[in-house]
Amino acid sequence: MTEYKMEISQNAENVPISMDINTDKKEMINLKNDTEVVYTPTTMSADSKFNDFQSLKPDKQVVPGNSFFLYRTAFTGNLLAFTAGIGFSWTSPVLPKLHGANSPLSTPIDASQESLIASILCVGAAIGPFLFGYLADKIGRKKTLLSIAVPMIVGITTLAFTDQVKLYYFGRLLYGIGSGGVFTVLTMYTGEITADYNRGKFSCILGIFVALGVLYPFSIGGFLSVRIFCLSCFLPLQVFLIFFTLYAPESPSYLVRTSRYDEAETALINLHSLTKCHARDDVSELQRIQDLQAKTKGGVAELFNSKGTRKAFIISAGLLIIQQFSGINAVTGFMENIFRATGSSIPPQAATTLVGVIQVVTVFITSSLIEKLGRKFLLMASAMGAAASIILLGLYFFLHKHEFRLLEYFWWLPISCLLLYIVSFNLGLGPVPWTVLSEIFPDNVKSSASALISSICFGTSFVVTLAFPILSEMLGMAESFWLFGLCCIFGAVFVRFIVVETKGRNPMQIQEILGV
């Protein structure tokens, strides 16, 4: 609550009067025309200022709605996220076919080649952020997103028609470069076309489309030849290229940065259903922010010069590293074995499809809760739920290894732990770190920060994917799962003490909090 001390000097009697005004109640004593009023604001901490930010808004303030134009832009842009999701699970139906009689390759592949086909996508995804992050500042967000489709198209075409394993590496590498660009530029673009009140929800749409993309190979990949399956992956890219080119705007922030104010005003009117007057005010605010940020050069150097951006980097990079060390790749990679361990008659393909559906539903629920419960709450709940489930899963495999007699009565435990883990991960650790990345950095360092952090994320994913088989061989499956559980517990501690709540705040407000 903000209080102002009012000192009043009446000209007629020259009698000083003092009173307090409570801005929450919006009450004020009527004064005579000859009364002089002097306001002296009392001091308050930065935390109090932001905690009471909502109380200073007018009672009848109308929050703009989410326009059809915004939904269409977000859904069309996230077809790239759908295509990136396909790449993560593409190997699930394809690799078994490379060992069969109808393999498209001219020579059989061994385990090391199979592992490299699966993991080299992460190498490309670690390279892509730097290339497309640079282009996002040079040619704009929209043109960069359209250019991301190029390596993905070349990569999937190579995979569809080649019979050489080396070209499989090349195709997966190119596809990964495009995927890395998606997570860098699309999160940036989504953060700039949305507002403080809906940014979290629309950022989670990326997670929904990635989960749908992961589900796609599980659902139909087993029924199609490798070539037909790869060619079917063109469809979302074609729809994206047509509709995004025709209907999506450039981000208002980039338009203001390049002095295209009329285009920025039109984009804001369409995206947020604003009046021309309100859109003009928003453009003026964006211009004011750009002018403030123009005093610094931006880029990687500026990212580490400011206390606020250093903390933002630690938070964003930390969340995405924890995401990878939570064990998601290990759990999904060992999924068929877990289902077999239950003695269930569910076919592995049906089981993985079921898990994919659960992922989609959970991320959809997250998108509806993130603006109500906040980022920190979902991240904490997700980390603790993932820790509990994966530690119990490790306990099951420990008892199974030592032939615990009563284990036959707990046949339901591994599948229950698996489903609880998938739900917990997609409730927070999966989509929310990308939401935080999209809103925590100011515009002058956003592209550099997004590129560097996305590269760290996929580099970590590559290391975990390659190291897990070795780790499970050295320590054992149960001990590996327990190690991932400890990482999840560390993640919960990190969220509790390091991460700041970003719900309802713009990057400038977040930077003020981080800079304290």
Side-chain angles (χ1 to χ4, degrees):
M1 182 181 69
T2 305
E3 294 186 353
Y4 290 91
K5 183 70 69 177
M6 181 184 283
E7 297 176 1
I8 305 174
S9 298
Q10 295 185 354
N11 294 335
E13 296 151 346
N14 199 26
V15 179
I17 301 174
S18 172
M19 67 172 147
D20 293 331
I21 296 176
N22 186 331
T23 57
D24 288 340
K25 297 180 180 178
K26 299 179 179 60
E27 295 176 351
M28 190 172 188
I29 297 175
N30 293 328
L31 303 172
K32 295 180 180 180
N33 292 334
D34 59 348
T35 302
E36 179 183 353
V37 181
V38 180
Y39 292 91
T40 306
T42 58
T43 59
M44 60 191 305
S45 66
D47 288 339
S48 300
K49 177 169 66 175
F50 287 109
N51 288 338
D52 290 310
F53 180 73
Q54 299 295 329
S55 68
L56 298 179
K57 292 183 177 180
D59 287 338
K60 297 183 180 180
Q61 181 178 6
V62 179
V63 176
N66 301 320
S67 68
F68 169 77
F69 188 89
L70 177 60
Y71 277 106
R72 184 178 65 187
T73 301
F75 281 28
T76 305
N78 275 288
L79 288 174
L80 273 180
F82 179 89
T83 310
I86 291 174
F88 295 132
S89 58
W90 179 88
T91 54
S92 181
V94 170
L95 288 180
K97 294 177 181 179
L98 299 183
H99 295 283
N102 296 322
S103 171
L105 297 179
S106 57
T107 56
I109 60 171
D110 56 30
S112 62
Q113 291 172 318
E114 182 178 294
S115 176
L116 190 55
I117 290 172
S119 60
I120 199 170
L121 180 131
C122 293
V123 176
I127 298 171
F130 293 105
L131 170 62
F132 293 110
Y134 173 81
L135 287 178
D137 277 345
K138 295 299 179 183
I139 65 174
R141 280 49 164 156
K142 180 178 178 177
K143 291 180 180 178
T144 301
L145 286 170
L146 291 169
S147 69
I148 285 172
V150 174
M152 302 182 91
I153 290 172
V154 176
I156 203 69
T157 303
T158 302
L159 293 169
F161 292 101
T162 187
D163 62 351
Q164 301 296 318
V165 68
K166 290 183 178 179
L167 288 178
Y168 257 62
Y169 301 152
F170 177 72
R172 288 281 288 172
L173 181 69
L174 283 180
Y175 202 96
I177 289 173
S179 298
V182 170
F183 285 93
T184 303
V185 184
L186 187 57
T187 54
M188 192 188 311
Y189 179 76
T190 302
E192 292 177 357
I193 65 171
T194 52
D196 300 340
Y197 63 89
N198 63 8
R199 186 174 297 115
K201 177 173 69 174
F202 279 89
S203 295
C204 282
I205 291 177
L206 181 144
I208 295 174
F209 274 76
V210 170
L212 286 170
V214 170
L215 178 60
Y216 181 75
F218 291 153
S219 303
I220 72 165
F223 303 104
L224 302 174
S225 67
V226 173
R227 178 170 297 177
I228 298 301
F229 171 57
C230 289
L231 292 177
S232 73
C233 299
F234 275 122
L235 181 60
L237 283 174
Q238 290 173 336
V239 175
F240 163 76
L241 287 171
I242 294 170
F243 284 91
F244 199 77
T245 300
L246 293 176
Y247 299 114
E250 180 56 86
S251 84
S253 294
Y254 185 81
L255 291 171
V256 170
R257 182 187 300 180
T258 52
S259 302
R260 293 149 66 184
Y261 303 116
D262 290 341
E263 293 180 55
E265 189 176 304
T266 302
L268 287 167
I269 291 172
N270 291 329
L271 290 168
H272 304 305
S273 301
L274 298 176
T275 64
K276 193 173 183 67
C277 180
H278 285 123
R280 190 177 296 115
D281 291 341
D282 283 1
V283 169
S284 298
E285 177 63 15
L286 286 173
Q287 189 175 2
R288 184 188 69 83
I289 293 173
Q290 294 287 352
D291 290 341
L292 288 173
Q293 295 174 353
K295 297 176 181 178
T296 56
K297 294 181 179 180
V300 176
E302 180 60 28
L303 178 61
F304 296 102
N305 282 340
S306 164
K307 182 179 180 181
T309 52
R310 282 199 303 270
K311 285 186 178 180
F313 177 83
I314 292 171
I315 290 171
S316 297
L319 287 176
L320 285 168
I321 290 172
I322 290 166
Q323 178 194 79
Q324 296 303 315
F325 276 102
S326 66
I328 184 62
N329 292 325
V331 170
T332 54
F334 201 62
M335 194 178 300
E336 292 186 12
N337 302 68
I338 295 172
F339 275 97
R340 290 194 187 98
T342 66
S344 173
S345 59
I346 302 176
Q349 183 178 351
T352 53
T353 302
L354 172 63
V355 170
V357 171
I358 291 174
Q359 282 185 298
V360 173
V361 172
T362 306
V363 178
F364 182 81
I365 293 172
T366 302
S367 69
S368 64
L369 294 177
I370 192 168
E371 297 297 353
K372 298 177 181 178
L373 301 180
R375 285 62 161 157
K376 286 192 69 169
F377 179 85
L378 291 178
L379 286 168
M380 283 285 294
S382 175
M384 295 308 296
S389 55
I390 203 168
I391 287 173
L392 281 175
L393 187 61
L395 178 62
Y396 177 88
F397 280 100
F398 178 82
L399 296 176
H400 186 272
K401 179 181 177 181
H402 291 82
E403 300 180 352
F404 186 63
R405 293 182 178 180
L406 297 179
L407 200 61
E408 62 185 61
Y409 298 104
F410 296 92
W411 59 268
W412 49 268
L413 184 61
I415 188 171
S416 299
C417 289
L418 173 64
L419 296 179
L420 176 60
Y421 177 84
I422 294 297
V423 169
S424 298
F425 179 83
N426 287 283
L427 186 66
L429 287 176
V432 176
W434 297 106
T435 299
V436 173
L437 176 61
S438 73
E439 61 191 357
I440 201 169
F441 289 101
D443 288 345
N444 63 328
V445 298
K446 184 174 290 184
S447 60
S448 300
S450 297
L452 182 57
I453 291 170
S454 298
S455 180
I456 290 172
C457 171
F458 288 110
T460 306
S461 177
F462 175 72
V463 171
V464 172
T465 303
L466 278 183
F468 177 69
I470 302 172
L471 192 67
S472 59
E473 184 71 23
M474 292 175 57
L475 300 179
M477 189 62 64
E479 291 79 1
S480 299
F481 284 145
W482 287 340
L483 183 60
F484 290 134
L486 288 176
C487 291
C488 290
I489 293 173
F490 172 78
V493 175
F494 180 84
V495 171
R496 172 65 180 84
F497 293 103
I498 305 298
V499 176
V500 299
E501 181 57 69
T502 59
K503 183 186 75 169
R505 293 167 177 163
N506 62 45
M508 296 299 289
Q509 293 171 330
I510 296 169
Q511 284 299 307
E512 286 189 45
I513 297 173
L514 293 175
V516 174

